[in-house]
Amino acid sequence: MRNALLEVTDLSRRFGGLTAVDGLNFHVNDGEIVSIIGPNGAGKTTAFNLITCIYPPSAGAISFDGLNLVGLPLHRIAAAGIGRTFQNLRVFANLTARENILVGLTRHARASFLETLFHGGRFRAEEEALAAEADRLVALLDLTPVADQLVRNLPYGDQRRVEIARALATKPKILLLDEPAAGMTPPEIEELNGMIRRLRDELGKTVLMVEHHMSLVMEISDRIIVMDQGRKIAEGTPDEVRSNPLVISAYLGSGVV
Amino acid sequence: MDLLLQVIANGLTVGGTYALGAIGVSLVFGVLNIINFGQGASYTVAAYIAMVLMVSAGAPVVVAFAGGIVAAFVVGWIVERIAVRPLRDQPLLMSLITTMGLGLIIENLAHFIFGPQTQPLSPTLTADVFQLGMITVSTWELVTLAVVVAAIACLHYVLHHTDFGTAVRAVAEDRRAAQLLGIDVDRLIVVSFCIASAMGGAAGVLGAALYNSIYPTMGSLSMTKAFAASVLGGMEQIAGAIVGGLLLGIAESVTSVYLSSAWRDAIAFGLLVAVLVVKPTGLLGRRGLDKVERTNLSIFPLPPVPKLDLRQPLLALPIAIAIALPLVVTDTYYLRILTIMAMSGTIALSLNLIAGFAGLVSLGHAAFYGFGAYATAILSTRYGVPTWISMGIAIAATGVFGALFAWPMMRLRGHYVAMGTFGLSGVVWMVMLNWVDLTRGPMGIRAIPAPSFFGSELRGVGFYYLILAILVISTFVVLALLNSPFGRALRAMRDDELGMASVGVDPRVIKAKVFVVSAAIAGAAGAFWAHYISFISPDSFTPVASISYLAMVVLGGLGSVPGAIFGGAVLAALPELLRFASEYRLAIYGLIMVLIILFRTQGLLGRRHDIPSRKAPVARRAVVKEVG
């Protein structure tokens, strides 16, 4: 077995009386595409928010690449190697697509305050390097035609890709995608499918995603984790999950797959 | 023991009036999620109307007071219709600016009609004094307590035992859902606003009667106390507002007797800041900040940031003209106006970094400007530090002060930032006023030496070129920063802090840096001012002065660099050129703030938002609500 890149152990989170995530255990190996599925309110997004330190867990451990993530502030996870997108987009609406990506690159900027003030040689060289890197990501996510438009004016599917590009800009080892297909048209989902594969195959990214769109999940995932009421009720390859009676009764119901 | 009881009793009465005002603040905040910065006008109007009714019309006290409260009710209606309702779909912070502007106009109207002086509410107003056990109380204290209790009881009954009250609470929970259920939200909001304003009016007449004195700016001070009381109690809580008001009254009373009466008014400012730093949800608050996050300004795209390149005409032309101007303008008076214009432009430029780019509506800018002025004045007059060096130290020190100032603001958002910075600015002002050993208090610091340049003291034209240099350098610093990763992060933060943190940029670092740079620039303007004018006093650095700087930025357009400089220059020149109107400077500022926000929200040089505005506020939700 390959090394687990991300390992979640006995993770729990309570909100008042509600236990949104309840003793969750799973791992993601380097280079895998893993999906978390489950009915609404199963605790998928909460699990994401716990892993990305948006709020602390009530109990349990999260280790990523040998680093304990519990208690880390949100802005440190990018340095740890985690990039994420959000269920309800959190793009910078009043910046252009390219600028969104450039903000994602901010943490690689090294020029000092004085170099920035005087726009010195190192600053200029660095700005050029960042711009080139942004161009590369623009091309990678097919954003070239809209790169210089304000994100607020872009269609939903483009905004999602801007958010993914922004997350990629931080050079993460793992990419956490929270419902990347939400609001996308079928052709856009088809493109997304190819794109996520490219991320893994060409860029070597590991992908963990929450997704409702079953055909996408089934086609793309190496492994699927099924959650219901805060717990993991099943785990396995798409075929294993598809035929798991627990999953069928809890989530898929009859006739969905 | 007797004294302490007496002190507490006095505090309770005054605290009762604070509680009334705080209830008004909390009611509006609960229903509309905005803070009415025009609330002060209700106090002033109610008190002056009561005075007119009593003194000119000879009305009995009860009628006069009722008349004052009715007038405040009407003020509430006016403020809601003009400054709040038209902005329902705009970022919530916009109504902060318009209510503040309208409040300034109304307060200045009182100034215009009745003069600036303090006068008695009625020369014949008398108070009997009773002995109740160990303490002495006056009629007015008893009346105040009775009215406070009655008003609170009425409000409680209305909110909890009438259909109207149920509807108010429904709107406070979820306005859209209430609308779907058939509640006439518009009517309900205006009525709540009027009730809140009438509460302020009641506080105004009672406060005026307690001291038998009124003056046009009485409302602003009372409003500050209502804010402090309301924040202390947890903003949305009526019960909290009452507790907060009473506690503030007692704290003030105890302070003025046992410590020093000079610091009495500092309590409200200090408390405001302390509560926001330690427990922003207040004593009884439940919900706290999540409801406030929707106050973002991100509905506006920022205008393009000019590139840092001297060859572009937008940068080179104004600089060339400004350098050449003294060749044409030789008259000392006009040269002085040009100097003041450049200085205001510098201050507005620096505030724009915080208000326009970081999206934090700061009402504390006078603190930075004043800090720079006082730092250099104290260093050069008291310690004989050479002027250039003391100015340099003042600029650096103001930058450091900016970081300290920013630290308590880190956790706050939206209206809370406005109140926090307002409070901090008040604290700084109180220190200037009351730390007499250091600042010479209200007397101010005189005979601040002029800097010399190659052996000769700087004079008219020299000062003009000095402030021009400060302005140009500041503009270059601002543009250099905006055209950098820091600048992009700054603009991104205004759109989405969480999104920015998720890519590894700490919003607190960005905020701290922006406050440091902004404070240092404002400090440079302040240091210049001290040496230029050679006399400074706390009057120039009140929280109200902060508001006028905000007006400059709003006029030019939040987030527009040339706009801010332009706005600062124009608003500084206006009262000078309209000599007859200089006394009503604040009313002019208020009018500009209201008109600009209502009719050209993006400011003169800002960028229009080109998509329907309804979507944006909904798209932004608190983290907590994202729970899967």
Side-chain angles (χ1 to χ4, degrees):
Chain A
M1 195 180 119
R2 280 176 296 185
N3 275 346
L5 183 62
L6 175 70
E7 182 125 35
V8 167
T9 318
D10 295 328
L11 193 66
S12 294
R13 170 72 202 201
R14 284 179 291 278
F15 293 102
L18 174 83
T19 305
V21 171
D22 190 1
L24 186 65
N25 285 290
F26 72 88
H27 68 277
V28 180
N29 292 325
D30 199 2
E32 266 188 316
I33 297 178
V34 176
S35 295
I36 304 179
I37 62 170
N40 285 326
K44 307 180 296 288
T45 293
T46 305
F48 256 44
N49 288 346
L50 291 172
I51 295 169
T52 51
C53 304
I54 287 190
Y55 30 69
S58 309
I62 310 162
S63 111
F64 176 76
D65 207 12
L67 180 74
N68 173 22
L69 293 185
V70 174
L72 225 55
L74 172 64
H75 65 268
R76 299 281 293 280
I77 62 148
I82 300 178
R84 77 163 285 179
T85 66
F86 294 86
Q87 186 179 336
N88 17 18
L89 288 169
R90 283 185 171 271
V91 284
F92 309 126
N94 295 305
L95 269 56
T96 66
R98 191 193 306 277
E99 284 173 330
N100 266 266
I101 297 169
L102 282 168
V103 174
L105 292 165
T106 304
R107 71 177 205 88
H108 307 302
R110 289 286 170 275
S112 70
F113 187 75
L114 280 182
E115 283 167 325
T116 304
L117 270 191
F118 292 105
H119 278 209
R122 179 170 155 189
F123 172 85
R124 285 202 304 272
E126 191 172 86
E127 277 291 277
E128 273 170 32
L130 293 183
E133 177 65 14
D135 283 341
R136 207 178 60 78
L137 286 164
V138 162
L140 183 73
L141 282 124
D142 294 329
L143 289 164
T144 314
V146 295
D148 293 311
Q149 289 188 31
L150 293 188
V151 165
R152 63 189 297 161
N153 298 331
L154 298 182
Y156 209 66
D158 288 356
Q159 296 199 13
R160 289 231 168 259
R161 279 182 290 138
V162 168
E163 205 185 24
I164 294 173
R166 183 183 76 183
L168 279 176
T170 66
K171 300 198 170 65
K173 295 194 187 85
I174 192 171
L175 202 55
L176 273 64
L177 305 176
D178 197 350
E179 299 198 23
M184 283 191 174
T185 60
E188 283 176 330
I189 293 175
E190 201 47 49
E191 278 174 35
L192 181 72
N193 184 335
M195 204 193 65
I196 294 176
R197 281 171 199 279
R198 285 210 312 273
L199 292 182
R200 195 250 317 257
D201 299 338
E202 293 170 22
L203 301 178
K205 304 291 181 197
T206 305
V207 177
L208 174 66
M209 67 175 187
V210 165
E211 187 48 68
H212 279 300
H213 206 277
M214 273 314 131
S215 59
L216 176 67
V217 169
M218 291 299 167
E219 266 178 56
I220 206 172
S221 310
D222 297 318
R223 237 162 6 101
I224 298 175
I225 292 154
V226 190
M227 286 181 72
D228 189 27
Q229 299 184 2
R231 297 166 173 280
K232 180 172 83 176
I233 58 167
E235 181 180 343
T237 63
D239 285 335
E240 287 166 358
V241 165
R242 216 191 298 255
S243 55
N244 187 321
L246 264 176
V247 177
I248 293 171
S249 69
Y251 176 57
L252 299 177
S254 50
V256 175
V257 177
Chain B
M1 191 61 207
D2 288 5
L3 179 62
L4 183 63
L5 269 182
Q6 181 69 48
V7 166
I8 289 176
N10 293 351
L12 273 179
T13 10
V14 178
T17 67
Y18 298 161
L20 284 179
I23 291 172
V25 173
S26 293
L27 187 62
V28 168
F29 186 78
V31 172
L32 268 165
N33 208 9
I34 66 165
I35 291 168
N36 175 12
F37 269 83
Q39 164 111 345
S42 316
Y43 297 79
T44 307
V45 168
Y48 275 94
I49 293 288
M51 180 195 78
V52 169
L53 288 175
M54 260 189 288
V55 176
S56 309
V61 175
V62 177
V63 175
F65 278 26
I69 293 171
V70 169
F73 192 88
V74 176
V75 169
W77 185 81
I78 294 171
V79 172
E80 202 273 342
R81 291 311 288 258
I82 294 181
V84 178
R85 183 171 303 188
L87 299 170
R88 193 84 38 97
D89 292 320
Q90 299 280 3
L92 293 172
L93 282 173
M94 290 299 160
S95 56
L96 184 159
I97 298 168
T98 48
T99 53
M100 191 156 43
L102 203 55
L104 282 181
I105 297 172
I106 296 173
E107 256 187 23
N108 249 251
L109 216 57
H111 177 156
F112 180 70
I113 300 171
F114 302 102
Q117 72 280 14
T118 301
Q119 43 195 318
L121 182 59
S122 159
T124 56
L125 198 69
T126 53
D128 296 322
V129 174
F130 305 94
Q131 192 70 34
L132 275 184
M134 286 184 286
I135 57 174
T136 324
V137 291
S138 76
T139 338
W140 288 114
E141 287 176 325
L142 288 178
V143 169
T144 302
L145 280 179
V147 172
V148 169
V149 170
I152 291 170
C154 279
L155 186 69
H156 182 84
Y157 177 80
V158 168
L159 281 181
H160 291 274
H161 300 281
T162 64
D163 288 348
F164 175 79
T166 312
V168 168
R169 286 182 293 135
V171 171
E173 279 305 317
D174 189 332
R175 192 191 308 162
R176 276 168 221 275
Q179 200 150 25
L180 289 175
L181 292 172
I183 292 174
D184 185 350
V185 172
D186 283 341
R187 185 177 143 269
L188 193 130
I189 286 175
V190 75
V191 173
S192 307
F193 223 94
C194 290
I195 293 176
S197 188
M199 290 277 181
V205 287
L206 291 172
L210 278 176
Y211 301 112
N212 197 15
S213 82
I214 58 178
Y215 49 97
T217 54
M218 61 181 282
S220 298
L221 191 61
S222 309
M223 182 173 76
T224 309
K225 299 189 172 169
F227 286 168
S230 179
V231 166
L232 181 61
M235 275 320 284
E236 284 175 75
Q237 306 283 314
I238 300 290
I242 298 166
V243 174
L246 296 178
L247 283 181
L248 176 61
I250 293 171
E252 281 191 358
S253 178
V254 169
T255 307
S256 56
V257 172
Y258 291 99
L259 288 171
S260 147
S261 60
W263 290 99
R264 181 195 156 98
D265 288 334
I267 298 276
F269 290 116
L271 210 58
L272 193 58
V273 176
V275 174
L276 287 178
V277 172
V278 178
K279 190 169 184 297
T281 50
L283 291 179
L284 303 184
R286 303 162 297 168
R287 180 149 42 179
L289 298 181
D290 72 321
K291 204 181 170 193
V292 184
E293 205 193 351
R294 289 189 294 122
T295 51
N296 65 83
L297 287 161
S298 67
I299 200 161
F300 296 98
L302 292 164
V305 177
K307 291 273 168 288
L308 182 64
D309 182 355
L310 251 182
R311 280 164 303 184
Q312 57 177 336
L314 180 67
L315 213 54
L317 207 61
I319 294 176
I321 293 176
I323 290 175
L325 264 178
L327 299 176
V328 189
V329 183
T330 44
D331 183 276
T332 24
Y333 172 66
Y334 287 106
L335 198 62
R336 183 189 143 86
I337 293 181
L338 284 179
T339 307
I340 294 173
M341 286 169 74
M343 192 196 69
S344 292
T346 310
I347 298 174
L349 171 79
S350 67
L351 176 58
N352 190 33
L353 277 180
I354 297 176
F357 286 100
L360 302 166
V361 170
S362 165
L363 296 177
H365 222 60
F368 301 145
Y369 168 58
F371 192 96
Y374 266 92
T376 195
I378 291 168
L379 285 174
S380 58
T381 57
R382 179 179 295 229
Y383 300 103
V385 177
T387 48
W388 293 110
I389 296 173
S390 75
M391 283 173 80
I393 296 175
I395 293 168
T398 313
V400 174
F401 175 65
L404 295 177
F405 196 94
W407 173 73
M409 297 300 124
M410 293 297 180
R411 292 164 65 191
L412 307 178
R413 291 198 164 77
H415 284 88
Y416 279 83
V417 174
M419 286 212 290
T421 48
F422 183 74
L424 269 177
S425 171
V427 170
V428 172
W429 176 50
M430 285 290 156
V431 169
M432 290 173 185
L433 213 49
N434 292 326
W435 191 355
V436 179
D437 291 343
L438 184 72
T439 65
R440 295 175 39 87
M443 293 173 297
I445 298 176
R446 284 173 202 287
I448 305 164
S452 4
F453 195 66
F454 289 112
S456 59
E457 269 199 359
L458 229 47
R459 307 186 45 164
V461 184
F463 273 115
Y464 171 75
Y465 281 120
L466 174 59
I467 188 63
L468 190 62
I470 293 175
L471 174 59
V472 170
I473 293 171
S474 304
T475 308
F476 275 71
V477 166
V478 167
L479 290 183
L481 289 178
L482 288 176
N483 286 296
S484 78
F486 168 79
R488 286 189 295 265
L490 186 59
R491 287 185 293 141
M493 184 176 73
R494 173 176 170 273
D495 277 357
D496 199 318
E497 263 188 64
L498 191 74
M500 192 176 77
S502 81
V503 294
V505 185
D506 187 350
R508 289 172 304 178
V509 172
I510 301 290
K511 282 182 194 170
K513 281 185 182 169
V514 81
F515 265 94
V516 168
V517 175
S518 175
I521 295 175
F528 164 82
W529 180 250
H531 292 288
Y532 175 58
I533 210 79
S534 85
F535 165 72
I536 54 168
S537 76
D539 291 350
S540 318
F541 312 111
T542 61
V544 175
S546 297
I547 296 176
S548 51
Y549 300 130
L550 188 63
M552 295 170 184
V553 177
V554 168
L555 174 69
L558 286 161
S560 163
V561 173
I565 299 172
F566 176 77
V570 168
L571 278 197
L574 214 56
E576 295 287 340
L577 297 176
L578 310 171
R579 274 298 25 194
F580 63 93
S582 67
E583 217 176 319
Y584 308 108
R585 196 169 46 97
L586 289 175
I588 296 172
Y589 288 175
L591 192 65
I592 285 170
M593 285 157 89
V594 173
L595 292 180
I596 288 286
I597 294 291
L598 287 183
F599 298 108
R600 202 180 154 81
T601 322
Q602 78 276 24
L604 293 180
L605 301 179
R607 195 200 289 191
R608 249 165 66 82
H609 56 103
D610 37 9
I611 61 160
S613 55
R614 280 174 187 276
K615 228 184 109 191
V618 186
R620 179 72 64 91
R621 246 176 281 157
V623 183
V624 185
K625 290 184 183 155
E626 231 177 55
V627 177

